[in-house]
Amino acid sequence: MLFIIFCITDTVIGKSLSLLLDIIPNNGNDITTTPYALNKVDADVLIVGSSRARHHYNPRIISDSLKLSTYNIGKNGNYLSYNCCIINSVIERYQPKIIFFDIKHDWLLEKSSDSMKSLYPFYHKNNIIKNAIIDNEGSRIKIKLLSKLYAFNDIALRMIIRYLQGGKDHDQLQGFDPLYGSKITELDVETKHQSGGDSISKKKMELLEKTICNINAKGIKVYLFDSPFFQEEKIEYTSALDSALLDICKRCDVRFYDNRYVSGLSDNIEFFYDFSHLNNDGAELYTNYILEQIKE
Amino acid sequence: MTLTSFDYLLFLPIVFLLYWILFSKNKTIQNIFLLFVNCVFYSLWDWRFLALLLVTVFSTYYLGNSVHRYNGKKKTLLLIVGLFINLGILFYFKYYNFFIESITNLLLLLKINVNLTTLNIILPVGISFYTFSALSYLIDNYQNKVSPSDDFLAYCTYVTFFPAILSGPISRAQKQLPQFSYKRVFTYQNGAEAFRMILWGAFLKLCVADRLGIYVDTVYGNFLKHNGTTLFLAQLLYTLQIYSDFAGYSLIAIGSGKLFGINLQENFKRPYFAQTVTEFWRKWHISLTTWFRDYIYFPLGGSRVKKTRWALNIIIVFTISGLWHGAAFTFIAWGAIHGLVMIIERLIYGDKLKQLTERRSINSLFRVFLTFNLVSLIWIFFRIDTFNNAIHIIKAIFSDTGKPFIDIPTLLPAILSVGIMLSKDLSDEYNCRFRLLENKSIIIRFITYIMIICYILLCGVLDGSSFIYFQF
């Protein structure tokens, strides 16, 4: 009896939360990034990636330069599997002209975090997402996601707060989330970013390659970037991981811009909010830099 | 498989149903099945240490039975052999490297250079807990508090009992072993009570402890960057985290045991409502403190000795308690400081110490507040890795004020969960008549269960985390 009442409650609250997610105004908050990307975005240029995409690429600058509408669907704390899934789902709905895919080099490592939790609320609504989640997390997730509430674990409270905050359903910054100032202090000592160490995941490599091929098949231009880190001097990246990434790009005939070190940007602490994220000034400089790169 | 993992959520009902439907004919069949399940459960952690567990079982059983047959020197010798084997194993796996490093550092201070090698030792899960449960049988036999058991199967099942083997509660031969010696019968009341314990335990662990842990770990992981106000907040939240983590785990373990007809030792009695540190230790990790009381404190003379000797007994017991928690000087310091505070309390309150806690007044509220803050401060030594870092944090708390680091998305669900936990604890502590979980109305009970389950699903940290006490 308890189990039956729980199932009914789970379904009712789960469906309510699903509806709520659809109606929360999209004014640049992290919660609505995914539903907006899946259901509504229709820009000519899409910027995809993690927090580094979200904070590093200014859509307004790209839009002004390329004369194409641009939207940044980068999402904090979401990496390879999430982004590949988002790309595959979005381009199934519509075909943008260009995709800027910001990919961090260590996404391809076996041990790197790759949760698809942000996509759980869409598990029952989208087959591409459903299959991707099962593929990434194993068949056990099918049992867990029988619970509609489980899909909203960790975000329900934030959703409710966002909804209550209200606001217009319009994101002036087109998904871009600028950071201001710098948190880097003299106490911080880590300045080098090395690739490798852990083993490369064959599964992740295949996923990336498959996604890029899918983008190409739809006639969409795609550029891969690894955006800057703060580092005082240039490091030559020659690990197996770097080679693996280059191999994928060669096979898919895609340009990869390894911008981990950009002279005048990466070595200047004033452009960084923290070691991995540019601040607004840095993002402006970097966006202009990549536009020059692709024009070349 | 931790007790809040998805695997355990599948494992427990299957084992429960098999136990009562197929393997409940008599106590022997019940114990055979449970023993099998216990071994499988432990093996899932690390099958290599199953052999070690069996060494503890065999040695304490055989020596416990033998010790009962003799008197005088031979009796004592058998006890010493049993203690030597089992504490020796515990020492090797848990303290060998700490011992070597301490000796090396001490010799270096004396300007003697010695090259002693540490070993790459993996700590067997639960060794601190099951060793103590097993030694309880040996020591109780020595003290003639229990009779030797002729049921080896029951004894095996008692030591290896899966709900308690990893992180307690520490079972006692006098209380838990007899329960394995007769056929257990299922009652709806026991089942319902067990369910409530597991549910509330899961809430404490997943919604309170793990939520708080996100903030606490962030601050403590970079404590040099944070001001005193933030460190104070982190320390406060850690105080709540460690309680809800361990109390939650214990409740799940006790509830799981109850599902199979076994009543494990109650382990927590709302310790932060204690009016003195002395009272705190009667409410915190009860199974461990009573073990130390019965097997170390009382044999040393307890409180029936001169004051100076009593003070020494307290310091010894709490220093050992600190060492039990971890092979580091910070744990020893943590234990010793608690002992010191208890001594000071005895000096201040004298014989009125016990009566103090029986009364409730404005003064008692003040004492609760003071005790909570004192215990909270001492937890810093438990959490941090070095003595110097602990001192740095304490100094910062009292001198380096500033705007605290607040992360709303992390703290909001945590504070909400703490509020719920506090409401229930207040209700239990002050015997509030209206209860939700234990309400007489089945409708209110069911609504409460559903709300808690929904809350866990929405706000619990469900992506896997281990219990703080697992490291012991």
Side-chain angles (χ1 to χ4, degrees):
Chain A
M1 178 69 174
L2 181 65
F3 181 70
I4 294 167
I5 300 171
F6 165 69
C7 288
I8 296 169
T9 312
D10 179 89
T11 305
V12 168
I13 300 179
K15 282 203 188 284
S16 305
L17 287 171
S18 187
L19 281 167
L20 181 66
L21 192 57
D22 287 335
I23 62 173
I24 294 174
N26 176 38
N27 47 17
N29 63 77
D30 203 40
I31 299 262
T32 52
T33 304
T34 307
Y36 185 80
L38 289 172
N39 303 320
K40 291 184 184 173
V41 75
D42 59 0
D44 294 323
V45 180
L46 277 188
I47 301 155
V48 186
S50 64
S51 57
R52 284 158 55 74
R54 196 169 161 80
H55 300 308
H56 290 186
Y57 300 81
N58 189 328
R60 181 188 53 79
I61 296 173
I62 296 171
S63 199
D64 288 345
S65 175
L66 300 179
K67 310 293 181 211
L68 294 169
S69 58
T70 308
Y71 202 94
N72 189 328
I73 58 171
K75 189 165 171 76
N76 297 342
N78 285 271
Y79 310 117
L80 186 73
S81 293
Y82 169 88
N83 284 295
C84 287
C85 187
I86 282 284
I87 289 171
N88 288 322
S89 298
V90 168
I91 64 175
E92 200 61 34
R93 179 171 59 81
Y94 93 102
Q95 285 79 53
K97 292 193 168 82
I98 304 171
I99 292 178
F100 288 170
F101 192 175
D102 185 278
I103 175 167
K104 194 161 168 268
H105 52 286
D106 62 3
W107 282 7
L108 294 177
L109 293 176
E110 200 69 67
K111 286 183 185 171
S112 72
S113 173
D114 201 18
S115 171
M116 295 182 78
K117 208 171 171 183
S118 301
L119 290 170
Y120 288 178
F122 310 95
Y123 175 83
H124 293 286
K125 292 183 187 178
N126 184 314
N127 278 331
I128 294 174
I129 292 174
K130 184 176 184 172
N131 294 331
I133 288 173
I134 294 167
D135 194 47
N136 187 50
E137 311 211 351
S139 50
R140 205 182 285 184
I141 196 71
K142 285 194 238 181
I143 305 172
K144 293 182 184 180
L145 283 170
L146 284 172
S147 163
K148 307 281 188 297
L149 287 179
Y150 177 78
F152 290 92
N153 174 256
D154 215 17
I155 65 164
L157 199 59
R158 284 188 285 144
M159 278 171 54
I160 294 166
I161 292 169
R162 285 286 179 208
Y163 177 71
L164 292 172
Q165 280 173 341
K168 289 182 187 169
D169 187 22
H170 173 64
D171 180 11
Q172 287 182 323
L173 297 177
Q174 308 294 91
F176 175 54
D177 186 8
L179 297 168
Y180 296 97
S182 178
K183 277 168 66 177
I184 302 173
T185 68
E186 285 160 12
L187 283 173
D188 298 316
V189 294
E190 175 59 55
T191 56
K192 287 182 182 177
H193 298 272
Q194 302 277 4
S195 302
D198 295 324
S199 57
I200 299 168
S201 165
K202 200 178 162 192
K203 193 178 168 186
K204 289 179 182 178
M205 280 181 55
E206 281 169 8
L207 174 64
L208 178 63
E209 190 166 346
K210 202 172 160 187
T211 303
I212 297 171
C213 289
N214 194 21
I215 298 171
N216 282 342
K218 300 270 184 195
I220 302 166
K221 190 96 185 128
V222 58
Y223 298 98
L224 255 61
F225 298 96
D226 196 346
S227 47
F229 289 89
F230 174 71
Q231 43 194 338
E232 287 165 327
E233 54 193 40
K234 187 178 170 66
I235 297 165
E236 289 304 323
Y237 296 103
T238 54
S239 72
L241 180 61
D242 299 308
S243 308
L245 198 49
L246 285 169
D247 285 342
I248 291 172
C249 293
K250 261 187 206 160
R251 283 197 295 272
C252 300
D253 193 25
V254 157
R255 288 298 302 269
F256 171 59
Y257 297 91
D258 189 348
N259 293 331
R260 279 176 282 182
Y261 180 81
V262 175
S263 177
L265 180 64
S266 296
D267 43 15
N268 192 335
I269 211 170
E270 284 179 18
F271 292 128
F272 281 85
Y273 179 76
D274 59 38
F275 282 112
S276 318
H277 298 95
L278 295 164
N279 58 25
N280 187 46
D281 295 337
E284 267 188 36
L285 227 101
Y286 177 64
T287 309
N288 282 307
Y289 178 79
I290 58 131
L291 285 167
E292 286 303 318
Q293 279 185 314
I294 64 171
K295 277 174 186 169
E296 278 169 21
Chain B
M1 186 194 323
T2 65
L3 299 199
T4 50
S5 64
F6 185 68
D7 289 336
Y8 191 73
L9 191 63
L10 299 173
F11 170 87
L12 189 65
I14 293 170
V15 171
F16 169 76
L17 288 169
L18 286 172
Y19 180 75
W20 291 112
I21 294 171
L22 295 177
F23 297 98
S24 250
K25 198 174 177 182
N26 54 51
K27 67 146 185 179
T28 304
I29 293 173
Q30 284 180 329
N31 286 342
I32 289 171
F33 176 71
L34 265 185
L35 181 61
F36 171 74
V37 169
N38 295 343
C39 291
V40 166
F41 183 84
Y42 194 78
S43 300
L44 287 171
W45 278 94
D46 198 325
W47 61 268
R48 295 172 297 176
F49 292 124
L50 197 56
L52 200 67
L53 171 59
L54 293 174
V55 165
T56 297
V57 169
F58 277 103
S59 62
T60 50
Y61 181 75
Y62 174 73
L63 290 165
N65 284 1
S66 302
V67 94
H68 205 85
R69 275 187 249 128
Y70 298 97
N71 287 309
K73 279 184 186 173
K74 196 152 189 184
K75 187 178 179 113
T76 309
L77 182 66
L78 287 166
L79 173 71
I80 291 169
V81 168
L83 289 173
F84 182 78
I85 291 171
N86 291 283
L87 293 178
I89 292 171
L90 183 62
F91 175 84
Y92 172 76
F93 281 97
K94 199 167 169 181
Y95 301 107
Y96 176 82
N97 285 339
F98 171 65
F99 179 73
I100 292 295
E101 282 161 9
S102 303
I103 294 281
T104 308
N105 290 335
L106 183 66
L107 291 172
L108 273 171
L109 276 173
L110 300 170
K111 301 200 178 157
I112 303 169
N113 268 329
V114 179
N115 192 14
L116 297 170
T117 338
T118 55
L119 302 171
N120 191 13
I121 302 172
I122 304 167
L123 182 66
V125 174
I127 190 170
S128 302
F129 294 92
Y130 70 68
T131 301
F132 274 33
S133 295
L135 284 176
S136 147
Y137 179 73
L138 172 65
I139 300 169
D140 282 352
N141 264 298
Y142 176 81
Q143 293 175 339
N144 296 321
K145 285 183 184 170
V146 295
S147 306
S149 168
D150 56 2
D151 191 345
F152 179 64
L153 177 62
Y155 181 73
C156 251
T157 316
Y158 151 77
V159 176
T160 61
F161 192 42
F162 76 88
I165 193 167
L166 300 178
S167 291
I170 296 170
S171 297
R172 298 288 290 273
Q174 282 186 74
K175 291 182 186 162
Q176 274 72 48
L177 179 55
Q179 296 180 58
F180 291 90
S181 303
Y182 56 80
K183 183 183 167 187
R184 278 80 68 189
V185 177
F186 179 78
T187 64
Y188 173 79
Q189 197 176 349
N190 272 352
E193 209 177 315
F195 172 75
R196 282 194 290 271
M197 283 177 162
I198 292 169
L199 186 62
W200 188 246
F203 167 79
L204 288 179
K205 169 62 183 160
L206 298 170
C207 300
V208 185
D210 288 351
R211 274 285 155 217
L212 291 171
I214 296 171
Y215 180 85
V216 170
D217 290 348
T218 303
V219 172
Y220 271 95
N222 215 351
F223 63 89
L224 289 170
K225 273 193 148 185
H226 292 286
N227 60 39
T229 314
T230 303
L231 292 171
F232 172 73
L233 180 62
Q235 162 227 328
L236 194 71
L237 296 182
Y238 178 69
T239 304
L240 298 171
Q241 179 197 352
I242 193 164
Y243 163 64
S244 51
D245 191 293
F246 201 16
Y249 175 87
S250 292
L251 270 176
I252 297 171
I254 295 166
S256 300
K258 214 173 194 40
L259 280 179
F260 299 93
I262 301 294
N263 292 316
L264 295 171
Q265 160 91 56
E266 184 184 17
N267 225 6
F268 290 85
K269 263 186 190 164
R270 300 170 298 282
Y272 291 143
F273 286 92
Q275 295 186 44
T276 59
V277 170
T278 309
E279 191 191 5
F280 172 82
W281 280 102
R282 285 200 291 271
K283 294 168 168 248
W284 178 276
H285 202 171
I286 297 166
S287 66
L288 180 72
T289 50
T290 51
W291 198 99
F292 278 122
R293 180 198 65 194
D294 294 342
Y295 300 127
I296 300 179
Y297 181 65
F298 283 162
L300 286 174
S303 57
R304 295 176 192 182
V305 291
K306 284 184 190 170
K307 263 192 187 159
T308 43
R309 177 56 199 258
W310 169 81
L312 182 64
N313 290 346
I314 290 288
I315 293 293
I316 290 171
V317 168
F318 277 89
T319 304
I320 294 173
S321 172
L323 189 60
W324 178 91
H325 283 83
F329 284 112
T330 46
F331 290 112
I332 294 172
W334 168 80
I337 293 170
H338 268 282
L340 203 62
V341 171
M342 285 176 69
I343 293 167
I344 294 169
E345 280 179 352
R346 175 85 178 262
L347 290 172
I348 294 172
Y349 295 114
D351 294 330
K352 292 181 192 168
L353 193 56
K354 228 179 186 173
Q355 296 153 9
L356 213 62
T357 56
E358 285 158 15
R359 283 180 264 130
R360 291 191 202 280
S361 62
I362 300 288
N363 284 344
S364 60
L365 283 174
F366 173 73
R367 281 192 292 270
V368 167
F369 177 77
L370 189 67
T371 304
F372 175 83
N373 279 288
L374 196 53
V375 167
S376 181
L377 205 63
I378 304 171
W379 275 127
I380 294 171
F381 291 91
F382 197 87
R383 177 63 177 77
I384 208 74
D385 55 343
T386 71
F387 200 77
N388 285 340
N389 287 341
I391 299 297
H392 167 90
I393 289 172
I394 292 172
K395 274 186 187 168
I397 286 172
F398 287 105
S399 61
D400 179 18
T401 55
K403 197 179 163 193
F405 164 60
I406 302 279
D407 181 45
I408 303 272
T410 303
L411 286 176
L412 190 58
I415 299 300
L416 191 61
S417 302
V418 167
I420 297 169
M421 174 180 77
L422 197 62
S423 309
K424 185 174 184 313
D425 277 0
L426 276 166
S427 167
D428 290 341
E429 181 70 14
Y430 294 102
N431 295 314
C432 178
R433 271 187 220 166
F434 182 75
R435 301 292 176 102
L436 287 170
L437 273 170
E438 299 96 356
N439 199 284
K440 285 178 187 169
S441 160
I442 192 169
I443 296 171
I444 294 178
R445 285 204 311 273
F446 271 29
I447 291 172
T448 309
Y449 299 158
I450 303 270
M451 281 172 64
I452 294 173
I453 294 170
C454 290
Y455 189 88
I456 291 171
L457 284 169
L458 289 175
C459 298
V461 178
L462 301 180
D463 53 9
S465 57
S466 61
F467 299 101
I468 292 173
Y469 267 69
F470 254 29
Q471 61 188 301
F472 312 119

